[in-house]
Amino acid sequence: MVRDFGNIKMNMEGLNRFFQDNGVKISGEDSAKINSIFKECDTENTKGEQKADGELNGQERMNFLNKIKSACPNLYQKVVDFYTAVDVKEDLEQIRQETIDSVKEENKKEQVKGNDADFMS
């Protein structure tokens, strides 16, 4: 069965939901480690300002993954699977947005052509 991760984000809520949906059991100790590592790695917001925003991006993601590999090696592959799900979702969002932008641009060109034709008549 393919799960719908269309609204999953690179945050603790998304990670916990991913684990739950995939039947991944986490001990209380591992859960505490993951939460602590997440907080440690969440150092900037999407604007690049040095403050946590509850979501990992760019280098924060790599730092988190590296720390999970050493602190919770038994969960490392599951976290990689989570990253893959988020990456696919983000890639699809980007493709969707690029398609919308392209269609809008084509519509503008067609409008200009139509206006030019009206002007010439």
Side-chain angles (χ1 to χ4, degrees):
M1 175 199 294
V2 175
R3 306 235 186 253
D4 177 14
F5 294 113
N7 61 354
I8 199 166
K9 293 184 178 182
M10 187 63 77
N11 58 23
M12 280 308 299
E13 180 183 333
L15 180 61
N16 288 326
R17 190 180 117 220
F18 182 85
F19 283 169
Q20 182 179 12
D21 289 353
N22 286 288
V24 177
K25 303 290 184 216
I26 303 172
S27 70
E29 182 181 339
D30 282 344
S31 181
K33 284 181 192 176
I34 291 170
N35 280 311
S36 176
I37 292 169
F38 187 93
K39 287 178 184 174
E40 182 182 329
C41 292
D42 185 19
T43 58
E44 66 181 34
N45 62 20
T46 54
K47 296 176 185 172
E49 299 167 334
Q50 295 300 307
K51 59 182 177 181
D53 63 357
E55 205 165 313
L56 300 180
N57 53 48
Q59 190 60 42
E60 293 174 329
R61 292 180 183 190
M62 293 311 299
N63 293 340
F64 181 75
L65 193 58
N66 289 333
K67 290 178 186 221
I68 289 295
K69 189 173 189 175
S70 13
C72 304
N74 56 320
L75 295 174
Y76 175 75
Q77 186 57 52
K78 296 298 181 186
V79 174
V80 169
D81 294 345
F82 168 67
Y83 274 44
T84 301
V86 172
D87 284 346
V88 167
K89 177 247 181 190
E90 290 175 348
D91 288 348
L92 290 172
E93 282 179 353
Q94 182 178 355
I95 291 168
R96 180 181 171 278
Q97 189 58 52
E98 288 170 357
T99 302
I100 289 170
D101 293 346
S102 176
V103 168
K104 285 180 182 178
E105 188 61 34
E106 286 300 314
N107 286 341
K108 283 181 187 176
K109 288 178 184 176
E110 289 300 316
Q111 279 184 331
V112 169
K113 283 182 186 176
N115 291 342
D116 287 348
D118 290 343
F119 180 74
M120 299 291 225
S121 328

